[in-house]
Short mmCIF file of all heavy atoms in Angstrom, two decimals:
data_model
loop_
_atom_site.label_atom_id
_atom_site.label_comp_id
_atom_site.label_asym_id
_atom_site.label_seq_id
_atom_site.Cartn_x
_atom_site.Cartn_y
_atom_site.Cartn_z
N HIS A 1071 116.18 5.08 154.56
CA HIS A 1071 116.41 6.10 155.54
C HIS A 1071 117.55 5.83 156.43
O HIS A 1071 117.57 4.76 157.12
CB HIS A 1071 115.05 6.11 156.34
CG HIS A 1071 113.88 6.46 155.49
ND1 HIS A 1071 113.23 5.58 154.71
CD2 HIS A 1071 113.16 7.63 155.42
CE1 HIS A 1071 112.16 6.08 154.07
NE2 HIS A 1071 112.12 7.31 154.40
N GLY A 1080 133.44 15.72 160.11
CA GLY A 1080 134.28 14.57 159.91
C GLY A 1080 133.65 13.41 159.17
O GLY A 1080 132.94 13.62 158.15
N HIS A 1092 123.56 9.32 147.22
CA HIS A 1092 123.08 7.99 146.58
C HIS A 1092 121.58 7.73 146.80
O HIS A 1092 121.06 6.59 146.79
CB HIS A 1092 123.89 6.78 147.26
CG HIS A 1092 125.36 6.81 146.76
ND1 HIS A 1092 126.30 7.65 147.03
CD2 HIS A 1092 125.85 6.08 145.73
CE1 HIS A 1092 127.25 7.48 146.32
NE2 HIS A 1092 127.02 6.49 145.56
N HIS A 1094 119.39 8.54 149.42
CA HIS A 1094 118.89 8.15 150.73
C HIS A 1094 118.48 9.35 151.55
O HIS A 1094 119.00 10.43 151.48
CB HIS A 1094 119.74 7.34 151.57
CG HIS A 1094 120.38 6.13 150.86
ND1 HIS A 1094 119.57 5.09 150.57
CD2 HIS A 1094 121.63 5.81 150.47
CE1 HIS A 1094 120.28 4.11 149.98
NE2 HIS A 1094 121.51 4.61 149.79
N ASP A 1136 122.86 11.01 176.89
CA ASP A 1136 121.56 11.19 177.64
C ASP A 1136 120.46 10.36 177.15
O ASP A 1136 119.91 10.59 176.06
CB ASP A 1136 121.17 12.80 177.43
CG ASP A 1136 119.87 12.97 178.22
OD1 ASP A 1136 119.10 12.04 178.62
OD2 ASP A 1136 119.49 14.25 178.37
N ARG A 1165 139.47 11.95 175.03
CA ARG A 1165 140.07 12.64 176.12
C ARG A 1165 141.31 11.95 176.65
O ARG A 1165 141.13 11.11 177.57
CB ARG A 1165 139.03 12.75 177.28
CG ARG A 1165 137.74 13.47 176.92
CD ARG A 1165 137.78 14.95 176.95
NE ARG A 1165 136.52 15.55 176.49
CZ ARG A 1165 136.10 15.88 175.27
NH1 ARG A 1165 136.89 15.62 174.29
NH2 ARG A 1165 134.85 16.42 175.21
N GLU A 1179 133.45 10.40 180.39
CA GLU A 1179 132.88 11.19 179.17
C GLU A 1179 133.10 10.34 177.91
O GLU A 1179 132.29 10.20 177.00
CB GLU A 1179 133.79 12.58 179.06
CG GLU A 1179 133.68 13.23 177.70
CD GLU A 1179 132.52 14.15 177.57
OE1 GLU A 1179 131.83 14.28 178.66
OE2 GLU A 1179 132.12 14.59 176.59
N MET A 1200 112.88 -3.94 163.86
CA MET A 1200 112.24 -5.35 163.98
C MET A 1200 110.80 -5.32 163.35
O MET A 1200 110.42 -6.34 162.66
CB MET A 1200 112.07 -5.69 165.48
CG MET A 1200 113.40 -6.29 166.11
SD MET A 1200 112.94 -7.14 167.60
CE MET A 1200 112.58 -5.87 168.77
N TYR A 1224 139.22 5.50 175.61
CA TYR A 1224 138.86 5.36 174.04
C TYR A 1224 138.85 3.83 173.68
O TYR A 1224 138.07 3.39 173.09
CB TYR A 1224 139.71 6.30 173.26
CG TYR A 1224 139.32 6.41 171.89
CD1 TYR A 1224 138.23 7.32 171.51
CD2 TYR A 1224 140.05 5.83 170.85
CE1 TYR A 1224 137.94 7.54 170.10
CE2 TYR A 1224 139.66 6.06 169.39
CZ TYR A 1224 138.68 6.97 169.17
OH TYR A 1224 138.38 7.22 167.86
N ALA A 1227 136.13 1.87 175.35
CA ALA A 1227 134.82 2.21 174.73
C ALA A 1227 134.67 1.53 173.42
O ALA A 1227 133.67 0.78 173.03
CB ALA A 1227 134.58 3.72 174.57
N GLY A 1230 134.34 -2.23 173.64
CA GLY A 1230 132.98 -2.56 174.16
C GLY A 1230 131.97 -2.46 172.98
O GLY A 1230 130.99 -3.14 172.99
N THR A 1237 126.77 -8.75 169.62
CA THR A 1237 125.57 -9.23 170.32
C THR A 1237 124.41 -8.83 169.60
O THR A 1237 123.26 -9.65 169.41
CB THR A 1237 125.50 -8.66 171.80
OG1 THR A 1237 126.73 -9.08 172.55
CG2 THR A 1237 124.34 -9.02 172.51
N GLY A 1243 119.70 -10.83 164.11
CA GLY A 1243 119.85 -11.32 162.68
C GLY A 1243 118.75 -11.99 162.10
O GLY A 1243 118.38 -11.84 160.91
N THR A 1265 143.76 16.41 167.95
CA THR A 1265 144.30 15.62 169.22
C THR A 1265 145.24 14.48 168.89
O THR A 1265 145.65 13.92 169.82
CB THR A 1265 143.12 15.05 169.99
OG1 THR A 1265 142.40 14.14 169.14
CG2 THR A 1265 142.03 16.14 170.42
N ASN A 1312 137.88 -3.69 158.56
CA ASN A 1312 138.92 -2.63 158.75
C ASN A 1312 138.90 -1.81 157.42
O ASN A 1312 138.94 -2.36 156.38
CB ASN A 1312 140.23 -3.35 158.94
CG ASN A 1312 140.38 -4.07 160.13
OD1 ASN A 1312 140.15 -3.36 161.18
ND2 ASN A 1312 140.87 -5.25 160.23
N VAL A 1313 138.95 -0.50 157.72
CA VAL A 1313 139.10 0.47 156.54
C VAL A 1313 140.36 1.28 156.96
O VAL A 1313 140.25 2.31 157.44
CB VAL A 1313 137.82 1.29 156.26
CG1 VAL A 1313 138.07 2.29 155.13
CG2 VAL A 1313 136.61 0.36 156.13
N TRP A 1319 147.23 -0.95 163.14
CA TRP A 1319 147.90 -0.98 164.46
C TRP A 1319 148.52 0.45 164.76
O TRP A 1319 149.01 1.01 163.75
CB TRP A 1319 149.05 -2.03 164.52
CG TRP A 1319 149.53 -2.31 165.78
CD1 TRP A 1319 148.99 -3.16 166.70
CD2 TRP A 1319 150.78 -1.76 166.40
NE1 TRP A 1319 149.90 -3.10 167.91
CE2 TRP A 1319 150.91 -2.20 167.66
CE3 TRP A 1319 151.75 -0.85 166.02
CZ2 TRP A 1319 151.94 -2.10 168.55
CZ3 TRP A 1319 152.81 -0.56 166.76
CH2 TRP A 1319 152.87 -1.17 168.01
#
Side-chain angles (χ1 to χ4, degrees):
H1071 297 79
H1092 286 75
H1094 304 296
D1136 178 352
R1165 301 278 182 269
E1179 169 82 9
M1200 280 199 291
Y1224 190 75
T1237 299
T1265 63
N1312 290 311
V1313 184
W1319 191 84

